Amino acid sequence: MTKKKMVPLAAVVLAAALFAYWFYFSKPSEFPANEQAVAEINRTFPKAYSRTIQEAIRIDDRHMVLPFISKVKNYGLSYWVWRNHKWNVVSVDTNGKPSMWKIDPTDPSSYYLIWNLQPDHPLSSINFYLIGEREYHISGGIEDYQPKVQMKKKIFLQEKSYGAVQLPEQWTASINVLSQAESAQNPDVLTMDMFPEQSMFIGWIPYDKAGKESNIMFEGPSYSSSYEAIEELRPINESDMERP
C-alpha cells in the first residue's frame, strides 16, 4: 500500500476510534429536567402515565432511579442507565414494589434496595432481611453444615415513602462468602450466579404506625427493555423469622 493510500486509511481508523470512544465511553451528559424525564418515561412506557417526578436519585455516574407519581395516583419507579451516549429508561414499575437493582451483577456491593410505597397507606417502616437457609448434607463421606443467616436492615418511612439504599457491608460479605463456597462446590463458573439465590434471598416485611406487621397489595403494569438487573424482593412474614 502506498503512502498516499495509508494516510486516508489511518484517518478513517482514527475517526472510527474517536467516534467509538465518544459513543460508548464519554462522560454522561447532564440528566434531563423533570419535564423531559416525565415525557421520556411515558414515551418508553405509555401505561406509566407518569406526571410528577418525586426526586432524581443518583446511584452513580451512569445509573439513576426516579420515583414518580402517575396521573392515576400510582407511585412508581423508573430506572435510567447512561449508555450509547444517552440516558435510557431501562425499566418502569408503576406499583413501587421493593426491588433490588444489581448495578454490577458480579459485585454484590453494587446492589441497591429500592422502593416507592403509597404514602397514604399507614406504613411507618420496612424491615429488609438477608436470609440464608440452614443446610446440612454429606457428600463423599464429608459432612457439610451451613448455619442460618438472618440479617436485618430497618428503613423508616416517616419522611419519605421512597428511597434507595446500598446493601450493608455485612450482607455483601456474607453473600461473597457463600458464593465462594458454592463456587468451590461447583467449579463450572458458567452455571454460577454471583448472588447465591438458591440458598440465600432478600425479603421484606412492612409495618404500620402501630408497629404491627402490615399487608399491602401491589397492582399495576411494568416495563423492562430486556433488562435483567432488577429483581422484585420477596414479601415474608414475622412468623418466618427465627428469634434468639
Side-chain angles (χ1 to χ4, degrees), residues 99-163:
S99 298
M100 181 167 63
W101 193 1
K102 299 178 177 180
I103 303 301
D104 177 359
T106 67
D107 180 9
S109 69
S110 73
Y111 296 179
Y112 277 74
L113 306 174
I114 294 171
W115 64 93
N116 187 15
L117 304 176
Q118 287 273 358
D120 295 337
H121 197 284
L123 293 180
S124 66
S125 63
I126 304 173
N127 282 353
F128 289 100
Y129 283 94
L130 175 67
I131 303 292
E133 299 298 345
R134 185 179 290 105
E135 293 186 355
Y136 171 79
H137 63 269
I138 301 175
S139 178
I142 300 175
E143 297 179 280
D144 182 65
Y145 172 73
Q146 293 181 6
K148 174 83 173 185
V149 174
Q150 182 174 298
M151 297 181 177
K152 181 174 75 174
K153 172 71 175 177
K154 191 177 188 69
I155 300 293
F156 294 98
L157 304 173
Q158 284 88 349
E159 295 184 359
K160 293 181 180 178
S161 59
Y162 61 85

Side-chain angles (χ1 to χ4, degrees), residues 26-210:
S26 62
K27 185 178 179 180
S29 66
E30 186 175 350
F31 195 78
N34 285 353
E35 294 77 8
Q36 294 174 286
V38 165
E40 185 60 18
I41 293 170
N42 292 333
R43 187 195 67 78
T44 304
F45 185 52
K47 291 182 179 179
Y49 301 116
S50 175
R51 182 163 64 182
T52 303
I53 300 298
Q54 295 165 276
E55 185 177 348
I57 302 174
R58 179 181 178 277
I59 303 298
D60 61 23
D61 287 343
R62 294 174 179 268
H63 299 82
M64 299 280 289
V65 60
L66 274 65
F68 68 86
I69 305 172
S70 76
K71 295 177 181 176
V72 292
K73 300 294 184 184
N74 283 335
Y75 285 73
L77 292 161
S78 61
Y79 298 80
W80 298 66
V81 175
W82 172 264
R83 66 183 178 199
N84 296 343
H85 207 74
K86 64 173 290 190
W87 284 104
N88 298 270
V89 180
V90 295
S91 183
V92 179
D93 176 359
T94 63
N95 58 43
K97 184 184 293 185
S99 298
M100 181 167 63
W101 193 1
K102 299 178 177 180
I103 303 301
D104 177 359
T106 67
D107 180 9
S109 69
S110 73
Y111 296 179
Y112 277 74
L113 306 174
I114 294 171
W115 64 93
N116 187 15
L117 304 176
Q118 287 273 358
D120 295 337
H121 197 284
L123 293 180
S124 66
S125 63
I126 304 173
N127 282 353
F128 289 100
Y129 283 94
L130 175 67
I131 303 292
E133 299 298 345
R134 185 179 290 105
E135 293 186 355
Y136 171 79
H137 63 269
I138 301 175
S139 178
I142 300 175
E143 297 179 280
D144 182 65
Y145 172 73
Q146 293 181 6
K148 174 83 173 185
V149 174
Q150 182 174 298
M151 297 181 177
K152 181 174 75 174
K153 172 71 175 177
K154 191 177 188 69
I155 300 293
F156 294 98
L157 304 173
Q158 284 88 349
E159 295 184 359
K160 293 181 180 178
S161 59
Y162 61 85
V165 297
Q166 195 171 11
L167 289 194
E169 289 184 7
Q170 288 185 322
W171 290 27
T172 59
S174 295
I175 294 169
N176 283 328
V177 167
L178 189 55
S179 294
Q180 291 169 4
E182 291 188 355
S183 180
Q185 295 172 3
N186 180 10
D188 184 359
V189 297
L190 296 179
T191 65
M192 289 294 296
D193 191 317
M194 188 64 191
F195 193 77
E197 296 178 62
Q198 297 301 317
S199 56
M200 185 172 279
F201 67 92
I202 295 176
W204 65 285
I205 305 175
Y207 290 91
D208 63 21
K209 293 183 178 179

